[in-house]
């Protein structure tokens, strides 16, 4: 049986991109319970403030960082803000929520796959330079082709980065998830597991969270 100490994340800096949507928020709460220091990234300042206040009320050290616009420069500015507020990240969760971008093909791909690429590009090389860390991405699946294309692209992209930085002690894994309210906590726990020391030997792996 896995020891509970493998899930302890005390004082580790965790970056959670995805804002206060259900799954990222659940990840933040689980991280807070395990002592992580949390930077929550999202586009809406008021929504971020509500989640950060909740985390702080529970005793966690947490900050909210608004992503000012899109693109590589905006994501790099987010990384600098994380370094200023909490220090170098140990854990990176890239969890774009497909339900937020109920638009056409381009909007879905931009908010899911492109945003994931920009986050990995901004954070992973610096984690590799620091000598270690864990990355978890979210690959959505759904009824529409754009969402499924994002899921497949995120999986392939994460595996690419996993192989690229394996020698530097950085792991990168994927949670594949069909968004359902009933499976939010299961998806969040899968992400937590992949980031924890319990999965220290796992990289370029996908965990599928089944929808009921």
């Amino acid at each position: 049986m896995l020891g509970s100490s493998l899930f302890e994340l005390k004082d580790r800096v965790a970056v959670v991109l995805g804002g206060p949507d259900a799954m990222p928020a659940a990840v933040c709460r689980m991280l807070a319970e395990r002592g992580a220091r949390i930077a929550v990234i999202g586009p809406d300042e008021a929504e971020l403030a509500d989640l950060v206040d909740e985390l702080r009320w529970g005793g966690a050290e947490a900050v909210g960082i608004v992503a000012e616009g899109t693109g590589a420069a905006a994501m790099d500015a987010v990384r600098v803000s994380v370094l200023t507020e909490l220090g170098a990240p140990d854990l990176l969760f890239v969890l774009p929520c497909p339900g937020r971008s109920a638009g056409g093909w381009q909007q879905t791909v931009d908010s899911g796959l492109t945003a994931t690429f920009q986050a990995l590009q901004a954070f992973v090389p610096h984690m590799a330079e620091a000598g270690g860390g864990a990355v978890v991405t979210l690959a959505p699946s759904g009824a529409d082709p754009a969402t499924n294309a994002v899921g497949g692209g995120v999986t392939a992209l994460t595996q690419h980065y996993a192989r690229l930085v394996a020698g530097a002690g950085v792991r990168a894994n994927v949670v594949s998830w069909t968004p359902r309210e009933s499976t939010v906590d299961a998806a969040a726990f899968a992400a937590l597991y992949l980031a924890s020391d319990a999965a220290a030997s796992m990289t370029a792996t996908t965990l599928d969270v089944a929808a009921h």
Side-chain angles (χ1 to χ4, degrees):
M1 189 169 70
L2 293 174
S4 60
S5 63
L6 293 175
F7 290 93
E8 280 298 317
L9 301 170
K10 186 171 176 57
D11 294 329
R12 297 193 197 182
V13 175
V15 178
V16 182
L17 291 101
D21 290 298
M23 202 277 218
V27 168
C28 287
R29 295 182 185 108
M30 291 181 184
L31 288 167
E33 290 170 359
R34 289 156 179 82
R37 304 164 62 213
I38 308 160
V40 192
I41 317 300
D44 189 295
E45 185 173 5
E47 290 181 347
L48 285 177
D50 288 343
L51 177 57
V52 168
D53 286 347
E54 176 192 337
L55 297 173
R56 289 175 175 172
W57 183 259
E61 182 178 355
V63 298
I65 298 174
V66 177
E68 299 283 358
T70 59
M75 190 55 63
D76 201 53
V78 166
R79 182 185 62 81
V80 172
S81 295
V82 171
L83 290 171
T84 301
E85 295 278 354
L86 292 180
D90 304 292
L91 311 173
L92 173 66
F93 298 85
V94 187
L95 312 172
C97 218
R100 281 244 180 198
S101 57
W105 172 277
Q106 195 62 55
Q107 184 180 355
T108 301
V109 170
D110 286 347
S111 64
L113 180 57
T114 304
T116 297
F117 169 66
Q118 290 165 348
L120 296 177
Q121 191 177 42
F123 282 93
V124 172
H126 297 276
M127 294 172 75
E129 287 178 12
V135 178
V136 180
T137 61
L138 181 66
S141 61
D144 62 292
T147 297
N148 287 322
V150 168
V154 167
T155 299
L157 186 62
T158 305
Q159 290 172 345
H160 166 77
Y161 270 93
R163 290 187 289 267
L164 194 65
V165 297
V170 178
R171 301 183 296 108
N173 293 290
V174 185
V175 174
S176 177
W177 181 49
T178 303
R180 295 285 188 277
E181 186 177 350
S182 62
T183 58
V184 165
D185 286 343
F189 186 79
L192 181 77
Y193 167 72
L194 289 172
S196 75
D197 291 344
S201 62
M202 297 173 64
T203 194
T205 297
T206 300
L207 290 185
D208 292 312
V209 178
H212 300 291

